[in-house]
Amino acid sequence: MGPNLLEIKQVDTPQQGPADVLIRVEACAVCSSDLSMMARPWKAQPPYGSFIPGHEYAGTVVALGETVDEFKVGDRVAVEAHLGCMRCRNCRLGHYTACLNYGKKGHRANGFTTNGGYAQYVINHVNTVYLIPDSVGFDEASLITNLGCVLYGFETTGGYIVGDHVAVIGPGPLGLISVEVAKALCAGRVYLVGTRASRLQVGEALGADRIIDATKEDPVQVILEETRGIGADLVIESSGGNEGPQMAIAMAKRMGKILLLGFPDEPVRADFSLLGKDNKHIYTVRGEGWANCGRAVSLLASGKVNLRPLVTHSFPLDSISDALKTFKERIGGAVKVVVKPTAN
Amino acid sequence: MGPNLLEIKQVDTPQQGPADVLIRVEACAVCSSDLSMMARPWKAQPPYGSFIPGHEYAGTVVALGETVDEFKVGDRVAVEAHLGCMRCRNCRLGHYTACLNYGKKGHRANGFTTNGGYAQYVINHVNTVYLIPDSVGFDEASLITNLGCVLYGFETTGGYIVGDHVAVIGPGPLGLISVEVAKALCAGRVYLVGTRASRLQVGEALGADRIIDATKEDPVQVILEETRGIGADLVIESSGGNEGPQMAIAMAKRMGKILLLGFPDEPVRADFSLLGKDNKHIYTVRGEGWANCGRAVSLLASGKVNLRPLVTHSFPLDSISDALKTFKERIGGAVKVVVKPTAN
Amino acid sequence: MGPNLLEIKQVDTPQQGPADVLIRVEACAVCSSDLSMMARPWKAQPPYGSFIPGHEYAGTVVALGETVDEFKVGDRVAVEAHLGCMRCRNCRLGHYTACLNYGKKGHRANGFTTNGGYAQYVINHVNTVYLIPDSVGFDEASLITNLGCVLYGFETTGGYIVGDHVAVIGPGPLGLISVEVAKALCAGRVYLVGTRASRLQVGEALGADRIIDATKEDPVQVILEETRGIGADLVIESSGGNEGPQMAIAMAKRMGKILLLGFPDEPVRADFSLLGKDNKHIYTVRGEGWANCGRAVSLLASGKVNLRPLVTHSFPLDSISDALKTFKERIGGAVKVVVKPTAN
Amino acid sequence: MGPNLLEIKQVDTPQQGPADVLIRVEACAVCSSDLSMMARPWKAQPPYGSFIPGHEYAGTVVALGETVDEFKVGDRVAVEAHLGCMRCRNCRLGHYTACLNYGKKGHRANGFTTNGGYAQYVINHVNTVYLIPDSVGFDEASLITNLGCVLYGFETTGGYIVGDHVAVIGPGPLGLISVEVAKALCAGRVYLVGTRASRLQVGEALGADRIIDATKEDPVQVILEETRGIGADLVIESSGGNEGPQMAIAMAKRMGKILLLGFPDEPVRADFSLLGKDNKHIYTVRGEGWANCGRAVSLLASGKVNLRPLVTHSFPLDSISDALKTFKERIGGAVKVVVKPTAN
């Protein structure tokens, strides 16, 4: 891996530590952060050439550390990326995705600061591994960090939304999953805002009650009109666009909540006066915290959320560059693209 | 009252309703929102000429509505501005300062949508009145909405800060009170950021552990250095300056909280990427919610917070224009300026 | 109404106040508290002979107070019992079912302290009325306080239970609804404990994953075994039996939550040492607080919870004594029994 | 140590692991659980003869594990007892005192499941060590787990109590510290209930506004009378007596909170009907969770809480039996008794 370059190399199979699990990777999904890390190294990212990215993966347990009795060889498992140092104050209090020793003192974020899942074998601490039932396929399971991230977002904003009106901005993977989760948690009306008709239709199929094509309607106006001038109880901004934060602020109700799953790379303008006068709050998430990947497995197993429609393409490991390109350029309507390191 | 004009008029004494209390105003403090409302009408503000502003006041009970037994004539009382409609969903759930029927259906925000305290007599619903002990003077009591607002902010962000490091930006009245409350609630280290040495010294006298003159030091750098690179657990932005939100985001720790007590009038740039990647949250307050004015009275009575040093000037009602000017231009080091409608 | 006596009387149609709605009652469900109140007056209950009980009802709007524009004549509506005084500290903070002026100063709890729904017409404050869609029948809508109460319980204990294991003790109406809500909110495994096979089967049909007949198995042992010795994340005790609290404590996990929807009339023994050493908490609910009846309407409208199977019998108003007898003695497998005051 | 027997033995100095700190114990306070563990082994307690109890201690760092840079040799430190396995779901979420692998898989609770502080040297994981400033003496610092436990209780019940009325039952060490913390956190009126005049006087000196001698007054009646029939916002039961839970339930207000710091060894009767009808909740704490020992250090350093008056006696290690007897029998008005293993 180098700047905008991925190489396939033969490396030694990693050795699990006493509390680790060695996993044969069956599927590893492409995330936009993979592309970002290839373009410019992230904080605590190992040097190009010595580092295997990929943090959304699932596979089969092939070896266990000496203290591990939570799993057995042959178990089908999904993972979460973040271990945390389990030593700083944030980790100690359960906020391990916001570890204060990021990249140090035993902290691991597989695919970010330690080797990840674009490989045949990967090591995970037992903390970060979840058994999946036979009904959940590896492709779907590789998206568990996505679902875990969205669930962490809902939990961060309270998590109890029965009857609440939810607006989702941006029909990317996290936005589409947000629609599904909002419906699963018994939201009232779910709005989905986007600019591409095809993606909005995917959202409608996944349960959105009202899709708003921002190229044709004013999303803020639509939501205010359809909520009798009140606005949405919860707004989830996942577009990452420059207009996202301000649109989210504008469409939230008085005392409403805004959750940022995406954000612009650069500073953008926002009207904090409107935020403040109407007593709205902005929440963020880092990764898939508070063990929500475990909750995600349960949700997939129950069938209440279905991630299979999001996996539109898959490639073998030696075509990883095609996989990244397909994802990046949304070739063939790509939503999530999966790499299969051990497929034969 | 007209655009940038206040007139003293003789009007009828208002009549209390069945659940109201008629109060003789002893002190009414000037707030920057009074000036803003004179310049341009706020939402649901009655027409100039028919409206008495002033929402920070204290006084003596002179008459009771027929159902009121919570008070008796002669009681010394402080008030909160917001009644709420007690009928919309927000009011029903206790969020009456964010009433969805603002200005309608029985909602009252004295000094904003109904007559306020720059008068000899004012009516308050029994919900919005608090008995004050003899040890609390009327001048100090007139600042109870300020203290209630700050307390509402602390409660909104969790309210439990023992040992936490708190950074306050802006040594205005709310910022200075925030310093006092942070110390009263047993914060660890309290930082106060400002640009005027005199105000920073007031903050130091009120308990700030470290004052940072932003004209001489970089506040973000100072706080990171003095917290071993971690940042502040809670940042309270009360300057209302254009740089405030971004500075607050930058100095909060991973998983830290940001409270906006002030905000710029216009949209400003902020780095939501930094906010999101470090899992920080932004909270706001509208007014003095969740009955925190009652808590404020207790805090004053205990002596743990002292608002007297903030009342630097007072004027009789017929000099109200001088009062506003003194406040606005900070003449004589003015912090809070009080108008005394019934002084003789 | 007298001790254990209900009389049908001709009375004047009540007059709505300015913020009230006059409702023609279409269905009023029998609750066990109706029977309790007939046996011995509850706190603040009006004298026998002057009081109409019934707090679980739905109907049609027939007249509006002068300030009411939230509804129109002809609207089909459900209600909640508790208005609160909207004046005490608890009401002000949103806890109106725990009003500190219970029975005084404008407080109303229809069917408890003010006239209820065993009548052709009843008055409700606009705060306590919810529009129901055509898809929700009046019989089902009359159970909305039940669903609102259960939802209030879930919200009280956090409300976010994706993947959590929930144990429900007692397959009465609230217990059965708890099973439905737990599944709707995406719980993991839902256990239902009871002693009557027929009721347990209803629970299984409504979604319980595992029914436990306490006459044949030890519920605590079953749950510990099936959770690898950990226990349930949330235990909902709704049996009201003398063994209920202790059983709930014993089957909750370390750091688990216990919700009491029912409770024994008399003091019973419980092992607070076990509660404390394992850091478990006990929560209770009074009525259907925090506007959860509104959420309940949304949940019924979505079809995610279905209360129709619980309405097993209905009677006209003049057979109300039969209705009470059928409910009390569970004649014909009665679960909920509905009285229809205006059926023809 | 055997049943009711403590022996002084010469043992090897323990060896710190990579993330451990070796501490020379300067003071170790006697806790009633020490006596309980001597009488009958607790869960996961090592066999008598191979186990050193003592979980309330402070000392000096004498050696560091190879990864530890958070401390240096010579640092004066306080500790918390519980490490947790940092691997089960509870630990992962920050609830390490309620570890699901109690006594297994790396879990440590020094003085409970691993060796404790009645020794010259003890090993602590870096997670469980806190630097103390020079102003805090070792005797006082040895009580930090007590203060941490009380703080954990306040945090568990919300932690924001400005102006709230707090009732504390039982003037033992935790009760007395609860009085101090309630005042430090700006409670309104603090009541202290007990049966021994001398201990009540200590409570009064530490800040209790109203002491209630239960042998002379009815505590429930006193509190209801002095709160206008409303009851206490927060009741802290720390007596551990059989009447404690019921008394706590009876004196809490509607929607009030009850915190159990102590509990009877055997099941006792409680009126769950009263608890439920008035919407009260019961919270418990296990140990000194959520890193509150860190907050405790800050509170001691600030001087807002003072534990020195509670340390009434101290003994050298070879008089440990006298120490336990003095504590148990409250000889000479003993409150907390400290053992000094390395004093010369």
Side-chain angles (χ1 to χ4, degrees):
Chain A
M1 181 189 188
N4 301 314
L5 170 74
L6 275 181
E7 276 180 293
I8 312 290
K9 280 191 195 172
Q10 191 72 24
V11 297
D12 291 342
T13 302
Q15 275 294 314
Q16 70 279 6
D20 292 334
V21 171
L22 180 67
I23 297 170
R24 188 180 66 227
V25 180
E26 311 283 358
C28 181
V30 178
C31 175
S32 57
S33 50
D34 296 338
L35 297 163
S36 171
M37 294 166 74
M38 286 177 62
R40 198 173 51 172
W42 282 26
K43 185 181 173 187
Q45 180 177 321
Y48 292 133
S50 67
F51 170 55
I52 305 172
H55 56 276
E56 304 182 357
Y57 54 92
T60 308
V61 172
V62 292
L64 302 169
E66 65 204 48
T67 72
V68 179
D69 62 6
E70 291 91 340
F71 298 95
K72 59 180 195 302
V73 170
D75 278 347
R76 304 171 69 253
V77 294
V79 304
E80 61 184 310
H82 293 264
L83 170 65
C85 71
M86 300 312 272
R87 177 168 169 166
C88 72
R89 191 148 190 272
N90 277 359
C91 283
R92 192 111 174 102
L93 293 178
H95 315 310
Y96 53 86
T97 60
C99 175
L100 298 172
N101 287 316
Y102 198 83
K104 292 179 294 185
K105 290 191 179 173
H107 169 275
R108 302 184 205 166
N110 281 5
F112 293 102
T113 65
T114 43
N115 282 340
Y118 291 135
Q120 286 169 301
Y121 296 97
V122 65
I123 283 174
N124 271 74
H125 189 276
V126 65
N127 270 7
T128 61
V129 183
Y130 296 92
L131 196 67
I132 53 174
D134 290 345
S135 63
V136 176
F138 287 119
D139 285 4
E140 190 177 20
S142 75
L143 305 193
I144 277 213
T145 50
N146 291 262
L147 179 51
C149 174
V150 169
L151 286 171
Y152 178 41
F154 276 87
E155 186 172 8
T156 294
T157 56
Y160 179 72
I161 57 163
V162 178
D164 283 351
H165 301 313
V166 177
V168 178
I169 305 171
L174 293 186
L176 294 169
I177 295 174
S178 296
V179 167
E180 287 197 79
V181 171
K183 294 308 287 187
L185 294 181
C186 306
R189 221 166 142 70
V190 175
Y191 299 84
L192 177 63
V193 178
T195 55
R196 282 168 293 144
S198 60
R199 277 289 177 90
L200 289 169
Q201 282 159 15
V202 175
E204 195 164 31
L206 291 172
D209 296 292
R210 171 74 157 94
I211 55 176
I212 305 173
D213 185 332
T215 66
K216 298 183 180 158
E217 299 181 285
D218 176 345
V220 172
Q221 203 176 319
V222 168
I223 286 172
L224 287 176
E225 276 171 19
E226 300 194 3
T227 55
R228 298 196 290 181
I230 289 175
D233 296 283
L234 173 64
V235 181
I236 298 174
E237 151 55 13
S238 69
S239 75
N242 283 358
E243 311 299 325
Q246 180 57 33
M247 186 186 287
I249 291 171
M251 62 174 55
K253 71 180 280 205
R254 289 201 132 202
M255 207 74 192
K257 294 170 181 174
I258 295 152
L259 171 65
L260 300 186
L261 295 181
F263 29 75
D265 284 337
E266 300 298 322
V268 297
R269 287 194 190 283
D271 184 352
F272 292 99
S273 164
L274 178 57
L275 189 81
K277 282 187 180 164
D278 280 354
N279 219 332
K280 305 171 184 182
H281 310 300
I282 299 179
Y283 301 85
T284 71
V285 293
R286 166 80 198 192
E288 58 298 323
W290 297 344
N292 272 289
C293 287
R295 298 186 189 272
V297 171
S298 172
L299 207 48
L300 288 187
S302 73
K304 294 207 165 195
V305 164
N306 180 5
L307 301 179
R308 289 185 301 274
L310 302 183
V311 182
T312 53
H313 297 72
S314 73
F315 293 85
L317 181 56
D318 53 16
S319 305
I320 186 167
S321 296
D322 295 334
L324 293 175
K325 182 181 163 76
T326 302
F327 175 80
K328 185 179 183 183
E329 301 179 6
R330 293 168 182 154
I331 295 170
V335 182
K336 286 296 282 190
V337 175
V338 163
V339 172
K340 318 274 279 192
T342 51
N344 36 22
Chain B
M1 179 192 187
N4 302 314
L5 171 74
L6 276 181
E7 278 180 294
I8 311 290
K9 281 190 193 174
Q10 190 73 23
V11 296
D12 289 342
T13 301
Q15 275 294 312
Q16 71 278 8
D20 292 334
V21 170
L22 181 65
I23 297 170
R24 187 180 66 227
V25 180
E26 311 283 357
C28 182
V30 178
C31 174
S32 57
S33 50
D34 296 338
L35 296 164
S36 171
M37 296 167 74
M38 287 178 62
R40 198 173 52 172
W42 282 25
K43 186 180 172 188
Q45 179 177 321
Y48 291 132
S50 68
F51 171 55
I52 304 172
H55 55 275
E56 303 181 357
Y57 53 90
T60 307
V61 173
V62 293
L64 302 168
E66 65 205 46
T67 73
V68 178
D69 63 5
E70 290 92 338
F71 298 95
K72 59 181 198 302
V73 170
D75 278 347
R76 302 172 70 252
V77 294
V79 302
E80 59 185 312
H82 293 265
L83 171 64
C85 73
M86 300 314 273
R87 174 170 173 165
C88 72
R89 190 149 189 274
N90 276 359
C91 282
R92 192 109 174 101
L93 293 178
H95 315 309
Y96 54 85
T97 60
C99 176
L100 298 170
N101 287 316
Y102 198 84
K104 292 180 295 189
K105 290 190 178 173
H107 169 274
R108 302 184 203 165
N110 280 7
F112 294 101
T113 66
T114 41
N115 281 339
Y118 291 135
Q120 286 170 301
Y121 295 97
V122 65
I123 282 173
N124 272 73
H125 189 275
V126 64
N127 271 5
T128 61
V129 183
Y130 296 92
L131 196 66
I132 54 173
D134 290 346
S135 63
V136 176
F138 286 119
D139 285 4
E140 189 177 20
S142 74
L143 304 194
I144 276 211
T145 52
N146 291 263
L147 180 52
C149 175
V150 169
L151 286 171
Y152 178 41
F154 276 87
E155 186 171 9
T156 293
T157 55
Y160 179 71
I161 57 164
V162 177
D164 284 351
H165 301 312
V166 178
V168 178
I169 306 171
L174 293 186
L176 293 170
I177 295 174
S178 296
V179 168
E180 286 196 80
V181 170
K183 293 307 289 185
L185 294 180
C186 306
R189 220 164 141 72
V190 176
Y191 299 84
L192 177 62
V193 178
T195 55
R196 281 168 293 141
S198 60
R199 277 289 176 91
L200 289 169
Q201 282 160 14
V202 175
E204 194 165 31
L206 292 172
D209 296 292
R210 171 73 157 95
I211 56 176
I212 304 173
D213 185 332
T215 66
K216 298 183 182 158
E217 298 181 283
D218 177 345
V220 172
Q221 201 177 321
V222 167
I223 286 173
L224 287 176
E225 277 172 16
E226 300 196 0
T227 57
R228 299 196 290 179
I230 289 175
D233 297 281
L234 172 64
V235 180
I236 299 174
E237 151 55 14
S238 69
S239 76
N242 284 0
E243 313 299 325
Q246 180 57 32
M247 185 187 287
I249 291 172
M251 63 175 53
K253 70 180 278 205
R254 289 201 131 202
M255 207 72 192
K257 296 171 179 173
I258 295 152
L259 171 66
L260 300 186
L261 295 181
F263 28 74
D265 284 338
E266 301 297 321
V268 297
R269 287 193 191 282
D271 184 352
F272 291 99
S273 165
L274 179 58
L275 190 79
K277 283 188 180 163
D278 280 355
N279 221 334
K280 305 171 184 182
H281 310 300
I282 300 179
Y283 301 84
T284 72
V285 294
R286 167 79 197 193
E288 60 295 327
W290 297 344
N292 272 290
C293 287
R295 297 186 189 273
V297 171
S298 172
L299 207 47
L300 288 189
S302 74
K304 293 206 168 198
V305 165
N306 179 5
L307 301 179
R308 289 186 301 273
L310 303 183
V311 183
T312 52
H313 296 74
S314 75
F315 292 85
L317 182 55
D318 53 14
S319 304
I320 186 166
S321 297
D322 295 334
L324 293 175
K325 181 181 165 73
T326 301
F327 175 79
K328 185 181 184 182
E329 302 179 6
R330 294 169 180 153
I331 295 170
V335 182
K336 289 294 283 188
V337 174
V338 163
V339 172
K340 319 274 278 191
T342 50
N344 38 19
Chain C
M1 180 190 188
N4 302 313
L5 170 75
L6 276 181
E7 277 180 293
I8 313 290
K9 281 190 192 173
Q10 191 71 27
V11 296
D12 291 342
T13 301
Q15 275 295 313
Q16 71 278 8
D20 292 332
V21 170
L22 181 66
I23 297 170
R24 186 178 68 227
V25 181
E26 310 284 357
C28 182
V30 178
C31 175
S32 57
S33 52
D34 295 339
L35 296 163
S36 170
M37 295 167 76
M38 286 178 62
R40 199 174 51 173
W42 281 26
K43 187 182 172 188
Q45 180 177 318
Y48 292 132
S50 67
F51 171 55
I52 303 172
H55 56 276
E56 303 181 358
Y57 54 91
T60 308
V61 171
V62 293
L64 301 168
E66 67 205 44
T67 72
V68 178
D69 62 5
E70 291 91 339
F71 299 94
K72 60 182 195 304
V73 170
D75 278 347
R76 303 171 69 254
V77 293
V79 303
E80 61 184 311
H82 293 264
L83 170 63
C85 73
M86 300 313 273
R87 174 167 173 170
C88 72
R89 190 147 190 274
N90 277 358
C91 283
R92 193 111 174 100
L93 293 178
H95 314 311
Y96 54 86
T97 61
C99 173
L100 298 171
N101 287 317
Y102 198 83
K104 292 179 294 188
K105 289 189 178 173
H107 169 275
R108 300 185 206 168
N110 280 6
F112 293 102
T113 66
T114 42
N115 281 340
Y118 291 135
Q120 286 169 303
Y121 296 98
V122 65
I123 282 174
N124 272 72
H125 189 275
V126 66
N127 270 5
T128 61
V129 183
Y130 296 92
L131 196 66
I132 53 175
D134 290 346
S135 63
V136 177
F138 286 119
D139 285 5
E140 191 178 18
S142 74
L143 304 195
I144 277 213
T145 52
N146 289 263
L147 180 51
C149 174
V150 168
L151 286 170
Y152 178 40
F154 276 87
E155 186 172 9
T156 293
T157 56
Y160 180 71
I161 58 163
V162 177
D164 284 350
H165 301 313
V166 178
V168 178
I169 305 171
L174 293 186
L176 293 169
I177 295 173
S178 295
V179 168
E180 287 197 78
V181 170
K183 294 308 288 186
L185 294 181
C186 306
R189 222 166 140 68
V190 176
Y191 298 84
L192 177 62
V193 179
T195 56
R196 281 168 294 142
S198 59
R199 278 290 177 88
L200 289 170
Q201 282 160 16
V202 175
E204 195 164 30
L206 291 172
D209 296 291
R210 171 73 158 93
I211 56 176
I212 304 172
D213 185 331
T215 66
K216 298 182 180 157
E217 298 181 285
D218 176 344
V220 173
Q221 203 178 321
V222 168
I223 286 172
L224 287 177
E225 275 171 19
E226 300 193 1
T227 56
R228 298 198 288 181
I230 290 174
D233 296 281
L234 172 63
V235 180
I236 300 175
E237 150 56 14
S238 70
S239 75
N242 284 358
E243 312 299 324
Q246 179 57 32
M247 186 186 285
I249 291 171
M251 62 175 53
K253 72 180 279 203
R254 289 200 134 202
M255 208 72 191
K257 295 171 180 175
I258 294 152
L259 171 65
L260 300 185
L261 294 181
F263 28 74
D265 285 339
E266 301 297 322
V268 297
R269 286 192 191 284
D271 184 352
F272 292 99
S273 164
L274 178 58
L275 189 81
K277 283 186 181 166
D278 280 355
N279 221 331
K280 305 171 182 181
H281 310 302
I282 299 178
Y283 301 85
T284 72
V285 294
R286 167 80 199 194
E288 60 295 327
W290 296 344
N292 273 289
C293 287
R295 298 187 188 271
V297 171
S298 172
L299 206 48
L300 288 187
S302 73
K304 295 208 166 196
V305 164
N306 179 6
L307 301 179
R308 289 186 300 274
L310 303 183
V311 182
T312 52
H313 297 74
S314 75
F315 293 85
L317 182 57
D318 54 16
S319 303
I320 187 169
S321 296
D322 294 335
L324 293 175
K325 182 181 163 77
T326 300
F327 175 79
K328 184 181 185 181
E329 302 178 5
R330 294 167 181 156
I331 294 170
V335 181
K336 288 295 283 190
V337 175
V338 162
V339 172
K340 317 275 276 192
T342 49
N344 36 22
Chain D
M1 181 192 187
N4 301 314
L5 171 74
L6 276 182
E7 278 180 290
I8 311 291
K9 281 190 194 172
Q10 190 73 23
V11 296
D12 289 343
T13 301
Q15 273 295 314
Q16 70 279 7
D20 293 332
V21 170
L22 180 66
I23 296 170
R24 187 180 66 227
V25 181
E26 311 283 357
C28 181
V30 178
C31 173
S32 56
S33 50
D34 295 338
L35 297 164
S36 171
M37 295 167 75
M38 286 178 63
R40 202 174 49 174
W42 281 27
K43 187 181 173 187
Q45 180 177 321
Y48 291 133
S50 67
F51 171 54
I52 304 172
H55 56 275
E56 304 181 357
Y57 53 92
T60 307
V61 172
V62 292
L64 302 169
E66 65 204 46
T67 73
V68 179
D69 63 5
E70 290 93 338
F71 298 95
K72 59 180 197 303
V73 169
D75 277 347
R76 303 172 70 252
V77 295
V79 302
E80 59 183 311
H82 293 264
L83 169 65
C85 72
M86 299 314 273
R87 176 169 173 167
C88 71
R89 190 147 191 274
N90 276 359
C91 282
R92 193 108 173 103
L93 294 178
H95 315 310
Y96 54 86
T97 60
C99 174
L100 298 172
N101 287 317
Y102 197 83
K104 292 180 294 186
K105 289 189 179 174
H107 168 275
R108 300 185 207 167
N110 280 5
F112 295 101
T113 67
T114 42
N115 281 339
Y118 291 136
Q120 285 170 303
Y121 295 98
V122 65
I123 282 173
N124 273 72
H125 190 277
V126 65
N127 270 6
T128 60
V129 183
Y130 296 93
L131 196 67
I132 53 174
D134 290 346
S135 64
V136 176
F138 286 119
D139 285 4
E140 190 176 20
S142 74
L143 304 194
I144 275 210
T145 51
N146 291 263
L147 180 52
C149 175
V150 168
L151 286 170
Y152 179 40
F154 276 87
E155 185 171 10
T156 293
T157 56
Y160 180 71
I161 58 164
V162 177
D164 284 351
H165 301 313
V166 177
V168 178
I169 305 171
L174 293 186
L176 293 170
I177 294 173
S178 295
V179 167
E180 286 196 80
V181 171
K183 294 308 289 185
L185 294 180
C186 306
R189 221 165 142 70
V190 175
Y191 299 85
L192 177 63
V193 178
T195 56
R196 280 170 295 143
S198 59
R199 278 287 177 91
L200 290 170
Q201 282 160 15
V202 175
E204 195 165 31
L206 291 172
D209 297 291
R210 170 73 157 94
I211 56 176
I212 305 173
D213 185 332
T215 66
K216 297 185 181 156
E217 298 182 285
D218 176 346
V220 174
Q221 202 177 321
V222 168
I223 286 172
L224 288 176
E225 276 171 18
E226 299 194 1
T227 56
R228 297 196 292 181
I230 289 174
D233 296 280
L234 172 63
V235 180
I236 298 174
E237 152 53 14
S238 69
S239 76
N242 284 358
E243 312 299 325
Q246 180 56 33
M247 186 186 286
I249 292 172
M251 62 175 54
K253 72 180 278 207
R254 289 200 133 204
M255 208 72 191
K257 294 171 180 172
I258 294 152
L259 170 66
L260 300 186
L261 293 181
F263 28 74
D265 285 336
E266 301 298 322
V268 298
R269 286 192 191 285
D271 184 352
F272 291 98
S273 163
L274 178 59
L275 189 81
K277 283 187 179 164
D278 281 354
N279 221 333
K280 304 171 184 181
H281 310 302
I282 299 179
Y283 302 84
T284 72
V285 293
R286 167 80 197 192
E288 59 293 327
W290 297 343
N292 272 289
C293 287
R295 299 186 188 273
V297 171
S298 173
L299 207 47
L300 287 188
S302 73
K304 293 207 166 195
V305 164
N306 179 5
L307 300 179
R308 289 186 301 275
L310 302 183
V311 182
T312 52
H313 298 71
S314 74
F315 293 85
L317 182 56
D318 54 15
S319 303
I320 186 168
S321 296
D322 294 335
L324 292 176
K325 182 181 161 77
T326 301
F327 175 78
K328 183 180 185 183
E329 301 179 6
R330 293 167 183 154
I331 295 169
V335 181
K336 288 295 281 190
V337 174
V338 163
V339 172
K340 317 275 275 195
T342 49
N344 36 22

